[in-house]
Short mmCIF file of all heavy atoms in Angstrom, two decimals:
data_model
loop_
_atom_site.label_atom_id
_atom_site.label_comp_id
_atom_site.label_asym_id
_atom_site.label_seq_id
_atom_site.Cartn_x
_atom_site.Cartn_y
_atom_site.Cartn_z
N MET D 4 -1.97 -18.23 29.07
CA MET D 4 -1.70 -17.39 27.90
C MET D 4 -0.96 -16.14 28.34
O MET D 4 -1.28 -15.52 29.34
CB MET D 4 -3.04 -17.01 27.25
CG MET D 4 -2.87 -16.40 25.87
SD MET D 4 -3.92 -17.22 24.67
CE MET D 4 -3.36 -16.51 23.17
N ALA D 5 0.05 -15.82 27.58
CA ALA D 5 0.89 -14.68 27.96
C ALA D 5 0.16 -13.36 27.75
O ALA D 5 -0.66 -13.23 26.85
CB ALA D 5 2.17 -14.70 27.14
N ASP D 6 0.50 -12.43 28.58
CA ASP D 6 -0.04 -11.08 28.40
C ASP D 6 0.57 -10.48 27.15
O ASP D 6 1.69 -10.79 26.77
CB ASP D 6 0.33 -10.23 29.63
CG ASP D 6 -0.53 -8.98 29.70
OD1 ASP D 6 -0.32 -8.08 28.87
OD2 ASP D 6 -1.39 -8.92 30.57
N THR D 7 -0.18 -9.62 26.49
CA THR D 7 0.32 -9.04 25.25
C THR D 7 1.25 -7.87 25.51
O THR D 7 1.95 -7.42 24.63
CB THR D 7 -0.85 -8.56 24.37
OG1 THR D 7 -1.67 -7.72 25.14
CG2 THR D 7 -1.65 -9.74 23.86
N TRP D 8 1.23 -7.34 26.72
CA TRP D 8 2.05 -6.18 27.03
C TRP D 8 3.49 -6.61 27.24
O TRP D 8 3.76 -7.70 27.73
CB TRP D 8 1.50 -5.48 28.27
CG TRP D 8 2.07 -4.11 28.44
CD1 TRP D 8 2.89 -3.69 29.42
CD2 TRP D 8 1.83 -2.99 27.58
NE1 TRP D 8 3.19 -2.36 29.21
CE2 TRP D 8 2.56 -1.92 28.11
CE3 TRP D 8 1.08 -2.80 26.41
CZ2 TRP D 8 2.57 -0.66 27.50
CZ3 TRP D 8 1.10 -1.56 25.82
CH2 TRP D 8 1.82 -0.50 26.36
N VAL D 9 4.42 -5.76 26.85
CA VAL D 9 5.82 -6.10 27.05
C VAL D 9 6.20 -5.89 28.50
O VAL D 9 5.76 -4.96 29.16
CB VAL D 9 6.73 -5.26 26.12
CG1 VAL D 9 6.51 -5.66 24.68
CG2 VAL D 9 6.50 -3.78 26.30
N THR D 10 7.00 -6.78 29.01
CA THR D 10 7.49 -6.71 30.38
C THR D 10 8.99 -7.02 30.35
O THR D 10 9.50 -7.50 29.34
CB THR D 10 6.78 -7.75 31.26
OG1 THR D 10 7.21 -9.05 30.86
CG2 THR D 10 5.28 -7.65 31.15
N PRO D 11 9.67 -6.76 31.44
CA PRO D 11 11.11 -7.09 31.48
C PRO D 11 11.37 -8.57 31.16
O PRO D 11 12.43 -8.92 30.65
CB PRO D 11 11.50 -6.75 32.92
CG PRO D 11 10.57 -5.66 33.29
CD PRO D 11 9.25 -6.02 32.61
N ASP D 12 10.42 -9.43 31.49
CA ASP D 12 10.59 -10.86 31.20
C ASP D 12 10.17 -11.21 29.78
O ASP D 12 10.38 -12.32 29.32
CB ASP D 12 9.76 -11.70 32.18
CG ASP D 12 10.34 -11.63 33.58
OD1 ASP D 12 11.57 -11.44 33.70
OD2 ASP D 12 9.57 -11.76 34.54
N ASN D 13 9.53 -10.27 29.14
CA ASN D 13 9.03 -10.51 27.78
C ASN D 13 9.28 -9.28 26.92
O ASN D 13 8.34 -8.57 26.55
CB ASN D 13 7.54 -10.85 27.84
CG ASN D 13 7.00 -11.19 26.45
OD1 ASN D 13 7.71 -11.76 25.63
ND2 ASN D 13 5.76 -10.83 26.20
N PRO D 14 10.56 -8.98 26.66
CA PRO D 14 10.88 -7.76 25.91
C PRO D 14 10.39 -7.84 24.48
O PRO D 14 10.22 -8.92 23.92
CB PRO D 14 12.41 -7.70 25.96
CG PRO D 14 12.84 -9.12 26.16
CD PRO D 14 11.74 -9.77 26.98
N GLY D 15 10.17 -6.69 23.91
CA GLY D 15 9.70 -6.64 22.54
C GLY D 15 8.98 -5.34 22.30
O GLY D 15 9.04 -4.42 23.10
N ILE D 16 8.27 -5.30 21.20
CA ILE D 16 7.53 -4.10 20.86
C ILE D 16 6.07 -4.46 20.72
O ILE D 16 5.72 -5.55 20.26
CB ILE D 16 8.09 -3.45 19.58
CG1 ILE D 16 7.41 -2.09 19.34
CG2 ILE D 16 7.94 -4.37 18.37
CD1 ILE D 16 8.15 -1.23 18.32
N HIS D 17 5.24 -3.54 21.15
CA HIS D 17 3.81 -3.78 21.04
C HIS D 17 3.15 -2.53 20.50
O HIS D 17 3.43 -1.43 20.96
CB HIS D 17 3.24 -4.12 22.43
CG HIS D 17 1.80 -4.54 22.35
ND1 HIS D 17 1.44 -5.83 22.07
CD2 HIS D 17 0.66 -3.85 22.51
CE1 HIS D 17 0.11 -5.90 22.04
NE2 HIS D 17 -0.38 -4.72 22.32
N VAL D 18 2.29 -2.71 19.52
CA VAL D 18 1.61 -1.58 18.91
C VAL D 18 0.11 -1.80 18.95
O VAL D 18 -0.38 -2.88 18.63
CB VAL D 18 2.06 -1.40 17.43
CG1 VAL D 18 1.23 -0.32 16.75
CG2 VAL D 18 3.54 -1.07 17.37
N TYR D 19 -0.59 -0.79 19.40
CA TYR D 19 -2.05 -0.84 19.39
C TYR D 19 -2.56 -0.18 18.12
O TYR D 19 -2.18 0.95 17.81
CB TYR D 19 -2.63 -0.09 20.60
CG TYR D 19 -2.52 -0.83 21.90
CD1 TYR D 19 -1.71 -0.35 22.92
CD2 TYR D 19 -3.24 -2.00 22.11
CE1 TYR D 19 -1.61 -1.02 24.13
CE2 TYR D 19 -3.13 -2.68 23.30
CZ TYR D 19 -2.32 -2.19 24.31
OH TYR D 19 -2.22 -2.85 25.49
N ALA D 20 -3.39 -0.88 17.41
CA ALA D 20 -3.96 -0.30 16.19
C ALA D 20 -5.04 0.71 16.58
O ALA D 20 -5.66 0.58 17.62
CB ALA D 20 -4.55 -1.40 15.33
N PRO D 21 -5.25 1.69 15.72
CA PRO D 21 -6.32 2.65 16.00
C PRO D 21 -7.68 2.00 15.91
O PRO D 21 -7.86 0.98 15.24
CB PRO D 21 -6.14 3.70 14.89
CG PRO D 21 -5.42 2.98 13.80
CD PRO D 21 -4.55 1.96 14.47
N GLY D 22 -8.62 2.59 16.61
CA GLY D 22 -9.98 2.06 16.54
C GLY D 22 -10.33 1.14 17.68
O GLY D 22 -11.48 0.78 17.86
N TRP D 23 -9.32 0.77 18.46
CA TRP D 23 -9.62 -0.05 19.62
C TRP D 23 -10.31 0.81 20.67
O TRP D 23 -10.05 2.01 20.76
CB TRP D 23 -8.33 -0.62 20.22
CG TRP D 23 -7.76 -1.76 19.44
CD1 TRP D 23 -7.88 -1.97 18.10
CD2 TRP D 23 -6.95 -2.82 19.93
NE1 TRP D 23 -7.20 -3.11 17.75
CE2 TRP D 23 -6.63 -3.64 18.84
CE3 TRP D 23 -6.48 -3.15 21.21
CZ2 TRP D 23 -5.84 -4.79 19.00
CZ3 TRP D 23 -5.70 -4.28 21.35
CH2 TRP D 23 -5.38 -5.10 20.26
N PRO D 24 -11.18 0.21 21.45
CA PRO D 24 -11.83 0.98 22.51
C PRO D 24 -10.81 1.63 23.42
O PRO D 24 -9.89 0.97 23.90
CB PRO D 24 -12.63 -0.08 23.27
CG PRO D 24 -12.86 -1.17 22.27
CD PRO D 24 -11.65 -1.15 21.36
N GLY D 25 -10.95 2.92 23.60
CA GLY D 25 -10.03 3.63 24.48
C GLY D 25 -8.72 3.97 23.80
O GLY D 25 -7.84 4.53 24.42
N ALA D 26 -8.57 3.62 22.52
CA ALA D 26 -7.33 3.92 21.81
C ALA D 26 -7.64 4.45 20.42
O ALA D 26 -7.43 3.78 19.43
CB ALA D 26 -6.45 2.68 21.73
N PRO D 27 -8.16 5.66 20.35
CA PRO D 27 -8.52 6.26 19.07
C PRO D 27 -7.31 6.49 18.18
O PRO D 27 -7.44 6.52 16.97
CB PRO D 27 -9.17 7.58 19.44
CG PRO D 27 -8.65 7.90 20.80
CD PRO D 27 -8.41 6.57 21.48
N GLU D 28 -6.16 6.62 18.78
CA GLU D 28 -4.93 6.80 18.02
C GLU D 28 -4.06 5.58 18.20
O GLU D 28 -4.11 4.94 19.25
CB GLU D 28 -4.15 8.02 18.52
CG GLU D 28 -4.67 9.35 18.03
CD GLU D 28 -3.65 10.43 18.25
OE1 GLU D 28 -3.29 10.69 19.41
OE2 GLU D 28 -3.19 11.01 17.26
N PRO D 29 -3.26 5.23 17.20
CA PRO D 29 -2.32 4.14 17.39
C PRO D 29 -1.30 4.52 18.46
O PRO D 29 -0.83 5.66 18.51
CB PRO D 29 -1.66 3.96 16.04
CG PRO D 29 -1.87 5.25 15.32
CD PRO D 29 -3.14 5.84 15.87
N THR D 30 -1.00 3.57 19.31
CA THR D 30 0.03 3.79 20.32
C THR D 30 0.95 2.58 20.32
O THR D 30 0.55 1.49 19.90
CB THR D 30 -0.56 3.97 21.73
OG1 THR D 30 -1.24 2.78 22.10
CG2 THR D 30 -1.53 5.14 21.78
N GLY D 31 2.14 2.79 20.78
CA GLY D 31 3.06 1.67 20.85
C GLY D 31 4.12 1.91 21.90
O GLY D 31 4.36 3.04 22.31
N ASP D 32 4.70 0.84 22.36
CA ASP D 32 5.88 0.98 23.20
C ASP D 32 6.74 -0.26 23.06
O ASP D 32 6.32 -1.28 22.54
CB ASP D 32 5.52 1.32 24.65
CG ASP D 32 5.09 0.10 25.45
OD1 ASP D 32 4.94 -0.96 24.84
OD2 ASP D 32 4.89 0.24 26.65
N TYR D 33 7.97 -0.11 23.47
CA TYR D 33 8.88 -1.26 23.39
C TYR D 33 9.75 -1.29 24.62
O TYR D 33 9.95 -0.28 25.31
CB TYR D 33 9.74 -1.20 22.13
CG TYR D 33 10.86 -0.18 22.13
CD1 TYR D 33 12.06 -0.46 22.77
CD2 TYR D 33 10.73 1.04 21.48
CE1 TYR D 33 13.10 0.46 22.76
CE2 TYR D 33 11.76 1.96 21.47
CZ TYR D 33 12.95 1.67 22.11
OH TYR D 33 13.96 2.59 22.10
N LEU D 34 10.24 -2.48 24.88
CA LEU D 34 11.18 -2.67 25.97
C LEU D 34 12.19 -3.69 25.48
O LEU D 34 11.82 -4.78 25.06
CB LEU D 34 10.45 -3.17 27.22
CG LEU D 34 11.34 -3.46 28.42
CD1 LEU D 34 12.01 -2.18 28.92
CD2 LEU D 34 10.53 -4.08 29.54
N CYS D 35 13.45 -3.30 25.51
CA CYS D 35 14.51 -4.20 25.05
C CYS D 35 15.04 -5.00 26.23
O CYS D 35 14.93 -4.57 27.38
CB CYS D 35 15.62 -3.38 24.41
SG CYS D 35 16.93 -4.40 23.71
N HIS D 36 15.65 -6.14 25.93
CA HIS D 36 16.22 -6.96 26.99
C HIS D 36 17.35 -6.24 27.70
O HIS D 36 17.73 -6.59 28.80
CB HIS D 36 16.70 -8.31 26.45
CG HIS D 36 17.78 -8.18 25.42
ND1 HIS D 36 19.10 -7.97 25.75
CD2 HIS D 36 17.73 -8.20 24.07
CE1 HIS D 36 19.81 -7.89 24.64
NE2 HIS D 36 19.01 -8.01 23.60
N CYS D 37 17.92 -5.19 27.06
CA CYS D 37 19.01 -4.43 27.67
C CYS D 37 18.48 -3.33 28.57
O CYS D 37 19.24 -2.68 29.26
CB CYS D 37 19.91 -3.84 26.59
SG CYS D 37 19.23 -2.38 25.77
N GLY D 38 17.18 -3.14 28.56
CA GLY D 38 16.60 -2.13 29.43
C GLY D 38 16.13 -0.89 28.70
O GLY D 38 15.44 -0.07 29.29
N ALA D 39 16.51 -0.75 27.44
CA ALA D 39 16.06 0.41 26.66
C ALA D 39 14.56 0.31 26.43
O ALA D 39 14.02 -0.78 26.27
CB ALA D 39 16.80 0.45 25.33
N SER D 40 13.91 1.46 26.43
CA SER D 40 12.47 1.44 26.21
C SER D 40 12.04 2.74 25.56
O SER D 40 12.77 3.72 25.52
CB SER D 40 11.74 1.25 27.54
OG SER D 40 11.95 2.35 28.38
N GLY D 41 10.84 2.73 25.03
CA GLY D 41 10.30 3.93 24.42
C GLY D 41 8.81 3.76 24.23
O GLY D 41 8.28 2.66 24.30
N GLU D 42 8.16 4.88 24.01
CA GLU D 42 6.73 4.80 23.76
C GLU D 42 6.32 5.96 22.87
O GLU D 42 7.02 6.98 22.80
CB GLU D 42 5.94 4.82 25.07
CG GLU D 42 6.21 6.05 25.93
CD GLU D 42 5.41 5.98 27.22
OE1 GLU D 42 5.71 5.13 28.07
OE2 GLU D 42 4.49 6.79 27.38
N ALA D 43 5.21 5.80 22.16
CA ALA D 43 4.77 6.83 21.23
C ALA D 43 3.27 6.75 21.04
O ALA D 43 2.65 5.70 21.21
CB ALA D 43 5.48 6.66 19.89
N THR D 44 2.70 7.89 20.69
CA THR D 44 1.28 7.96 20.38
C THR D 44 1.12 8.74 19.09
O THR D 44 1.72 9.80 18.92
CB THR D 44 0.52 8.67 21.51
OG1 THR D 44 0.72 7.96 22.72
CG2 THR D 44 -0.98 8.71 21.19
N GLY D 45 0.31 8.22 18.18
CA GLY D 45 0.10 8.89 16.90
C GLY D 45 0.74 8.09 15.77
O GLY D 45 1.74 7.42 15.98
N PRO D 46 0.14 8.13 14.59
CA PRO D 46 0.61 7.32 13.46
C PRO D 46 2.07 7.55 13.11
O PRO D 46 2.83 6.61 12.95
CB PRO D 46 -0.31 7.73 12.31
CG PRO D 46 -1.23 8.76 12.82
CD PRO D 46 -1.01 8.96 14.29
N THR D 47 2.47 8.81 12.99
CA THR D 47 3.85 9.12 12.63
C THR D 47 4.81 8.70 13.74
O THR D 47 5.87 8.12 13.49
CB THR D 47 4.01 10.62 12.36
OG1 THR D 47 3.05 11.01 11.38
CG2 THR D 47 5.40 10.93 11.83
N GLU D 48 4.41 8.99 14.96
CA GLU D 48 5.26 8.71 16.10
C GLU D 48 5.47 7.21 16.29
O GLU D 48 6.57 6.75 16.60
CB GLU D 48 4.66 9.31 17.37
CG GLU D 48 4.70 10.82 17.42
CD GLU D 48 3.58 11.48 16.62
OE1 GLU D 48 2.80 10.76 15.96
OE2 GLU D 48 3.49 12.72 16.65
N VAL D 49 4.38 6.43 16.10
CA VAL D 49 4.49 4.99 16.27
C VAL D 49 5.38 4.39 15.19
O VAL D 49 6.19 3.51 15.45
CB VAL D 49 3.10 4.33 16.28
CG1 VAL D 49 3.22 2.81 16.19
CG2 VAL D 49 2.33 4.72 17.54
N LYS D 50 5.22 4.91 13.96
CA LYS D 50 6.08 4.44 12.87
C LYS D 50 7.55 4.69 13.20
O LYS D 50 8.41 3.84 13.00
CB LYS D 50 5.72 5.19 11.58
CG LYS D 50 5.15 4.27 10.51
CD LYS D 50 4.84 5.06 9.25
CE LYS D 50 5.29 4.30 8.02
NZ LYS D 50 4.91 4.96 6.76
N ALA D 51 7.81 5.88 13.74
CA ALA D 51 9.18 6.24 14.11
C ALA D 51 9.66 5.34 15.24
O ALA D 51 10.82 4.95 15.29
CB ALA D 51 9.24 7.70 14.52
N LEU D 52 8.74 5.01 16.15
CA LEU D 52 9.10 4.16 17.28
C LEU D 52 9.52 2.78 16.79
O LEU D 52 10.50 2.21 17.27
CB LEU D 52 7.91 4.04 18.25
CG LEU D 52 8.21 3.24 19.50
CD1 LEU D 52 8.97 4.08 20.51
CD2 LEU D 52 6.92 2.71 20.13
N VAL D 53 8.77 2.23 15.84
CA VAL D 53 9.10 0.92 15.30
C VAL D 53 10.47 0.96 14.64
O VAL D 53 11.31 0.07 14.85
CB VAL D 53 8.03 0.45 14.30
CG1 VAL D 53 8.46 -0.84 13.61
CG2 VAL D 53 6.69 0.25 15.01
N SER D 54 10.72 2.01 13.86
CA SER D 54 12.03 2.15 13.21
C SER D 54 13.13 2.25 14.25
O SER D 54 14.20 1.65 14.11
CB SER D 54 12.04 3.41 12.33
OG SER D 54 11.11 3.27 11.29
N GLU D 55 12.84 3.01 15.31
CA GLU D 55 13.82 3.19 16.38
C GLU D 55 14.13 1.86 17.04
O GLU D 55 15.29 1.53 17.31
CB GLU D 55 13.23 4.17 17.40
CG GLU D 55 14.15 4.44 18.59
CD GLU D 55 13.44 5.30 19.64
OE1 GLU D 55 12.76 6.27 19.26
OE2 GLU D 55 13.56 4.99 20.83
N TYR D 56 13.08 1.09 17.28
CA TYR D 56 13.27 -0.21 17.93
C TYR D 56 14.10 -1.14 17.04
O TYR D 56 15.04 -1.78 17.51
CB TYR D 56 11.91 -0.84 18.22
CG TYR D 56 12.00 -2.23 18.79
CD1 TYR D 56 12.41 -2.43 20.11
CD2 TYR D 56 11.70 -3.35 18.02
CE1 TYR D 56 12.51 -3.71 20.63
CE2 TYR D 56 11.78 -4.63 18.54
CZ TYR D 56 12.20 -4.80 19.84
OH TYR D 56 12.30 -6.06 20.35
N LEU D 57 13.74 -1.21 15.75
CA LEU D 57 14.47 -2.09 14.84
C LEU D 57 15.92 -1.65 14.72
O LEU D 57 16.84 -2.48 14.69
CB LEU D 57 13.79 -2.09 13.46
CG LEU D 57 12.39 -2.71 13.46
CD1 LEU D 57 11.76 -2.58 12.07
CD2 LEU D 57 12.43 -4.17 13.89
N ALA D 58 16.14 -0.33 14.66
CA ALA D 58 17.50 0.19 14.58
C ALA D 58 18.25 -0.15 15.86
O ALA D 58 19.44 -0.50 15.82
CB ALA D 58 17.47 1.70 14.36
N HIS D 59 17.55 -0.07 16.98
CA HIS D 59 18.19 -0.38 18.25
C HIS D 59 18.62 -1.84 18.29
O HIS D 59 19.68 -2.16 18.82
CB HIS D 59 17.23 -0.08 19.41
CG HIS D 59 17.78 -0.47 20.74
ND1 HIS D 59 18.74 0.27 21.40
CD2 HIS D 59 17.55 -1.55 21.51
CE1 HIS D 59 19.06 -0.33 22.53
NE2 HIS D 59 18.35 -1.46 22.62
N GLN D 60 17.80 -2.73 17.74
CA GLN D 60 18.14 -4.15 17.76
C GLN D 60 19.45 -4.43 17.03
O GLN D 60 20.16 -5.37 17.36
CB GLN D 60 17.01 -4.99 17.14
CG GLN D 60 15.73 -4.95 17.96
CD GLN D 60 15.96 -5.25 19.43
OE1 GLN D 60 16.39 -6.34 19.79
NE2 GLN D 60 15.71 -4.26 20.28
N THR D 61 19.76 -3.62 16.01
CA THR D 61 20.99 -3.84 15.26
C THR D 61 22.22 -3.53 16.12
O THR D 61 23.33 -3.88 15.76
CB THR D 61 21.04 -2.99 13.98
OG1 THR D 61 21.12 -1.61 14.33
CG2 THR D 61 19.81 -3.23 13.12
N THR D 62 22.02 -2.85 17.24
CA THR D 62 23.14 -2.58 18.14
C THR D 62 23.44 -3.80 18.99
O THR D 62 24.38 -3.79 19.77
CB THR D 62 22.84 -1.38 19.05
OG1 THR D 62 21.80 -1.72 19.96
CG2 THR D 62 22.42 -0.16 18.23
N HIS D 63 22.64 -4.85 18.86
CA HIS D 63 22.85 -6.07 19.64
C HIS D 63 23.27 -7.22 18.73
O HIS D 63 22.88 -8.34 18.93
CB HIS D 63 21.55 -6.46 20.36
CG HIS D 63 21.15 -5.48 21.41
ND1 HIS D 63 21.99 -5.03 22.39
CD2 HIS D 63 19.98 -4.86 21.64
CE1 HIS D 63 21.35 -4.18 23.15
NE2 HIS D 63 20.13 -4.04 22.72
N LYS D 64 24.09 -6.90 17.72
CA LYS D 64 24.51 -7.93 16.78
C LYS D 64 25.18 -9.10 17.46
O LYS D 64 25.06 -10.24 17.02
CB LYS D 64 25.51 -7.32 15.79
CG LYS D 64 24.84 -6.45 14.74
CD LYS D 64 25.92 -5.85 13.83
CE LYS D 64 25.38 -4.67 13.05
NZ LYS D 64 26.43 -3.69 12.78
N ASP D 65 25.92 -8.81 18.53
CA ASP D 65 26.68 -9.87 19.17
C ASP D 65 25.84 -10.67 20.16
O ASP D 65 26.31 -11.54 20.85
CB ASP D 65 27.90 -9.28 19.91
CG ASP D 65 27.49 -8.20 20.90
OD1 ASP D 65 26.36 -7.68 20.76
OD2 ASP D 65 28.27 -7.89 21.80
N ARG D 66 24.60 -10.34 20.26
CA ARG D 66 23.72 -11.09 21.17
C ARG D 66 22.54 -11.58 20.36
O ARG D 66 21.64 -10.82 20.17
CB ARG D 66 23.29 -10.20 22.32
CG ARG D 66 21.95 -10.56 22.97
CD ARG D 66 21.87 -11.99 23.43
NE ARG D 66 20.51 -12.31 23.94
CZ ARG D 66 19.52 -12.72 23.14
NH1 ARG D 66 19.76 -12.86 21.86
NH2 ARG D 66 18.35 -13.01 23.65
ZN1 ZN G 114 18.78 -3.05 23.69
#
């Protein structure tokens, strides 16, 4: 079974929901196949991170 965390071999975005043990706040990070990455902590920040990731994907229209 694959690890849920994003790695260079498994690019994508991963978001932790709040309430998980050790994660009282939502956190997220992403790693693109092009090497771009980002991370955020907090509801607003994670939402912005997801938007950023989706917007970033549109820069890869030709791939
Ligand atoms: Zn990219």
Side-chain angles (χ1 to χ4, degrees):
M4 193 129 188
D6 197 288
T7 53
W8 195 247
V9 292
T10 69
D12 291 331
N13 183 34
I16 187 165
H17 187 84
V18 174
Y19 285 114
W23 284 29
E28 281 196 298
T30 62
D32 79 353
Y33 75 80
L34 178 64
C35 184
H36 62 80
C37 77
S40 65
E42 58 181 69
T44 302
T47 306
E48 290 81 356
V49 169
K50 245 182 137 175
L52 183 80
V53 173
S54 296
E55 179 186 317
Y56 175 74
L57 293 176
H59 176 77
Q60 294 310 297
T61 66
T62 68
H63 294 309
K64 284 178 197 149
D65 56 341
R66 153 55 185 86

